[in-house]
Amino acid sequence: FMCSALVSRIIATQHSSRIIATQRSSRIIATRHSNCEIRTLHTTPCYHDNETHFGYQTIPESEKEGRVKEVFERVADSYDVMNDTMSLGVHRLWKDHFVKSAAPKPNYKCLDVAGGTGDIAFKLHKHMSNITRDCEKIVVCDINTEMLRVGQDRAEEMGTGDNYIWMEGNAEQLDLPDNTFDLYTIAYGIRNCTHIDKVLEEAYRVLKPGGRFMCLEFSEVNNPVISQVYDKYSHDVIPVLGQVIAGDFESYQYLVESIRKFPNQETFAEMIAAAGFEIVEYELNVWCNCHSLWL
C-alpha cells in the first residue's frame, strides 16, 4: 500500500526467566508429506457476543474469522497481483528488508504466521540456505486452506517443498509447544485477526526465551500530505482496480478499510509490551509498518 504507513520495526525482549501461563494445549506438528498434505492443527476459539470491526463494519466477534476466511479464499490465486496493485510493487522491497532485518541463522526454528502463500517463508529459507544447506524446516501457519495451497504449489514448482511444514491454524490458538521457536514472523496478517492481544500472547508463548517476534504491517502515515494522497488512492482507486484485475471489489475494499482500523505505531508497541515483550522498538520507513520484537 503505497504511502499507507511507515515501516516500523518493533523489537522486544523477554527475560530468560519469564513466567507465563500457557493458553492452549500444544501439539508437536508433523512434517509435511511429499504429497503436500496440510496438517490441520487448529481449534476454533470460543467467542462471546462482543462486537468487533470488519473493515468499517461492526459485526459480532463470532463472525469475523469466517468473513476474513471468505475474503482470502477469493483473493488467494490473485494475492500477488493484489499486493502489487495496492503497493505499486513496492511490497517486494518491504519483504526483502523485513527478512534482512530478521537475519535468521540456519539453526533457527522459524514460524511464519498468516504466511500461506509462502512469500516470507521462501525468503527466510533463501537467506538461511545462503549460509548453509543444512537448515531447519520453516513452519508456515495460515487459517486459510486456499492460501496454504497457493504456497505449497509455489514451493513444489520451485522444487523446495521439503523445506517447509504447512499447518492450518488460528494465530489466536496455536497448537504448538511453548518455548519452541527462535523467530516468529507475521506479514500483513495481524490486522485481520479478531483479538490482536491474543495473537501477541501466543507469539510470546511459542517463542523461546530470547526469541524474536517480527511483524510487517501497514499503519498510520504521519505526513499529512502523503496521508491525504494515499487516502484518495486507497478509497477511490484500489477497490476499482480489484474489480478490474481480480473481479472483486468488496475484498479490496475490506483490505483498505482494515488498514484504517489497525492501531497506530505507538499503540501497537504498547500492546506488544503488554504481552510481555521487552526492548520494544519500531522502525519507520515510508509506506509500511514493520514491527519486530525480542523476547
PDB file of all heavy atoms in Angstrom, residues 136-147:
ATOM      1  N   GLU A 136      16.936 -25.655   9.301  1.00  0.00           N
ATOM      2  CA  GLU A 136      15.708 -26.155   9.891  1.00  0.00           C
ATOM      3  C   GLU A 136      14.534 -25.917   8.930  1.00  0.00           C
ATOM      4  O   GLU A 136      14.508 -24.942   8.178  1.00  0.00           O
ATOM      5  CB  GLU A 136      15.422 -25.440  11.214  1.00  0.00           C
ATOM      6  CG  GLU A 136      16.390 -25.757  12.334  1.00  0.00           C
ATOM      7  CD  GLU A 136      16.085 -27.086  13.002  1.00  0.00           C
ATOM      8  OE1 GLU A 136      14.981 -27.633  12.770  1.00  0.00           O
ATOM      9  OE2 GLU A 136      16.954 -27.574  13.741  1.00  0.00           O
ATOM     10  N   LYS A 137      13.550 -26.807   8.979  1.00  0.00           N
ATOM     11  CA  LYS A 137      12.347 -26.580   8.190  1.00  0.00           C
ATOM     12  C   LYS A 137      11.557 -25.417   8.793  1.00  0.00           C
ATOM     13  O   LYS A 137      11.514 -25.252   9.999  1.00  0.00           O
ATOM     14  CB  LYS A 137      11.481 -27.831   8.163  1.00  0.00           C
ATOM     15  CG  LYS A 137      12.103 -28.985   7.385  1.00  0.00           C
ATOM     16  CD  LYS A 137      11.103 -30.099   7.153  1.00  0.00           C
ATOM     17  CE  LYS A 137      11.741 -31.191   6.309  1.00  0.00           C
ATOM     18  NZ  LYS A 137      10.767 -32.229   5.898  1.00  0.00           N
ATOM     19  N   ILE A 138      10.953 -24.637   7.937  1.00  0.00           N
ATOM     20  CA  ILE A 138      10.170 -23.485   8.380  1.00  0.00           C
ATOM     21  C   ILE A 138       8.703 -23.896   8.473  1.00  0.00           C
ATOM     22  O   ILE A 138       8.154 -24.504   7.548  1.00  0.00           O
ATOM     23  CB  ILE A 138      10.336 -22.308   7.403  1.00  0.00           C
ATOM     24  CG1 ILE A 138      11.793 -21.839   7.395  1.00  0.00           C
ATOM     25  CG2 ILE A 138       9.393 -21.162   7.770  1.00  0.00           C
ATOM     26  CD1 ILE A 138      12.103 -20.831   6.320  1.00  0.00           C
ATOM     27  N   VAL A 139       8.079 -23.573   9.591  1.00  0.00           N
ATOM     28  CA  VAL A 139       6.653 -23.857   9.778  1.00  0.00           C
ATOM     29  C   VAL A 139       5.852 -22.674   9.251  1.00  0.00           C
ATOM     30  O   VAL A 139       6.059 -21.534   9.678  1.00  0.00           O
ATOM     31  CB  VAL A 139       6.317 -24.110  11.257  1.00  0.00           C
ATOM     32  CG1 VAL A 139       4.810 -24.375  11.415  1.00  0.00           C
ATOM     33  CG2 VAL A 139       7.119 -25.287  11.800  1.00  0.00           C
ATOM     34  N   VAL A 140       4.960 -22.947   8.311  1.00  0.00           N
ATOM     35  CA  VAL A 140       4.091 -21.911   7.748  1.00  0.00           C
ATOM     36  C   VAL A 140       2.667 -22.191   8.225  1.00  0.00           C
ATOM     37  O   VAL A 140       2.104 -23.243   7.932  1.00  0.00           O
ATOM     38  CB  VAL A 140       4.133 -21.903   6.211  1.00  0.00           C
ATOM     39  CG1 VAL A 140       3.273 -20.761   5.665  1.00  0.00           C
ATOM     40  CG2 VAL A 140       5.563 -21.785   5.709  1.00  0.00           C
ATOM     41  N   CYS A 141       2.109 -21.253   8.941  1.00  0.00           N
ATOM     42  CA  CYS A 141       0.773 -21.414   9.516  1.00  0.00           C
ATOM     43  C   CYS A 141      -0.181 -20.383   8.918  1.00  0.00           C
ATOM     44  O   CYS A 141       0.157 -19.196   8.827  1.00  0.00           O
ATOM     45  CB  CYS A 141       0.846 -21.247  11.038  1.00  0.00           C
ATOM     46  SG  CYS A 141      -0.769 -21.341  11.865  1.00  0.00           S
ATOM     47  N   ASP A 142      -1.347 -20.836   8.505  1.00  0.00           N
ATOM     48  CA  ASP A 142      -2.363 -19.917   7.986  1.00  0.00           C
ATOM     49  C   ASP A 142      -3.729 -20.508   8.299  1.00  0.00           C
ATOM     50  O   ASP A 142      -3.894 -21.733   8.326  1.00  0.00           O
ATOM     51  CB  ASP A 142      -2.206 -19.724   6.476  1.00  0.00           C
ATOM     52  CG  ASP A 142      -2.874 -18.449   5.977  1.00  0.00           C
ATOM     53  OD1 ASP A 142      -4.122 -18.385   5.995  1.00  0.00           O
ATOM     54  OD2 ASP A 142      -2.152 -17.518   5.574  1.00  0.00           O
ATOM     55  N   ILE A 143      -4.697 -19.666   8.524  1.00  0.00           N
ATOM     56  CA  ILE A 143      -6.045 -20.121   8.847  1.00  0.00           C
ATOM     57  C   ILE A 143      -6.810 -20.515   7.600  1.00  0.00           C
ATOM     58  O   ILE A 143      -7.856 -21.152   7.669  1.00  0.00           O
ATOM     59  CB  ILE A 143      -6.804 -19.017   9.623  1.00  0.00           C
ATOM     60  CG1 ILE A 143      -7.969 -19.613  10.406  1.00  0.00           C
ATOM     61  CG2 ILE A 143      -7.259 -17.891   8.684  1.00  0.00           C
ATOM     62  CD1 ILE A 143      -8.593 -18.662  11.399  1.00  0.00           C
ATOM     63  N   ASN A 144      -6.267 -20.165   6.429  1.00  0.00           N
ATOM     64  CA  ASN A 144      -6.981 -20.356   5.177  1.00  0.00           C
ATOM     65  C   ASN A 144      -6.318 -21.436   4.325  1.00  0.00           C
ATOM     66  O   ASN A 144      -5.173 -21.307   3.905  1.00  0.00           O
ATOM     67  CB  ASN A 144      -7.032 -19.028   4.409  1.00  0.00           C
ATOM     68  CG  ASN A 144      -7.988 -19.077   3.245  1.00  0.00           C
ATOM     69  OD1 ASN A 144      -7.744 -19.761   2.266  1.00  0.00           O
ATOM     70  ND2 ASN A 144      -9.088 -18.345   3.349  1.00  0.00           N
ATOM     71  N   THR A 145      -7.066 -22.496   4.048  1.00  0.00           N
ATOM     72  CA  THR A 145      -6.526 -23.620   3.279  1.00  0.00           C
ATOM     73  C   THR A 145      -6.147 -23.215   1.867  1.00  0.00           C
ATOM     74  O   THR A 145      -5.156 -23.705   1.309  1.00  0.00           O
ATOM     75  CB  THR A 145      -7.562 -24.764   3.223  1.00  0.00           C
ATOM     76  OG1 THR A 145      -8.003 -25.067   4.544  1.00  0.00           O
ATOM     77  CG2 THR A 145      -6.961 -26.007   2.606  1.00  0.00           C
ATOM     78  N   GLU A 146      -6.919 -22.322   1.265  1.00  0.00           N
ATOM     79  CA  GLU A 146      -6.621 -21.902  -0.110  1.00  0.00           C
ATOM     80  C   GLU A 146      -5.293 -21.160  -0.192  1.00  0.00           C
ATOM     81  O   GLU A 146      -4.523 -21.339  -1.137  1.00  0.00           O
ATOM     82  CB  GLU A 146      -7.755 -21.021  -0.653  1.00  0.00           C
ATOM     83  CG  GLU A 146      -8.992 -21.783  -1.067  1.00  0.00           C
ATOM     84  CD  GLU A 146      -8.688 -22.817  -2.139  1.00  0.00           C
ATOM     85  OE1 GLU A 146      -8.204 -22.429  -3.219  1.00  0.00           O
ATOM     86  OE2 GLU A 146      -8.916 -24.015  -1.897  1.00  0.00           O
ATOM     87  N   MET A 147      -5.020 -20.326   0.786  1.00  0.00           N
ATOM     88  CA  MET A 147      -3.745 -19.614   0.805  1.00  0.00           C
ATOM     89  C   MET A 147      -2.587 -20.605   0.966  1.00  0.00           C
ATOM     90  O   MET A 147      -1.541 -20.484   0.311  1.00  0.00           O
ATOM     91  CB  MET A 147      -3.726 -18.580   1.925  1.00  0.00           C
ATOM     92  CG  MET A 147      -4.758 -17.482   1.787  1.00  0.00           C
ATOM     93  SD  MET A 147      -4.406 -16.315   0.459  1.00  0.00           S
ATOM     94  CE  MET A 147      -3.213 -15.250   1.285  1.00  0.00           C
TER      95      MET A 147
END
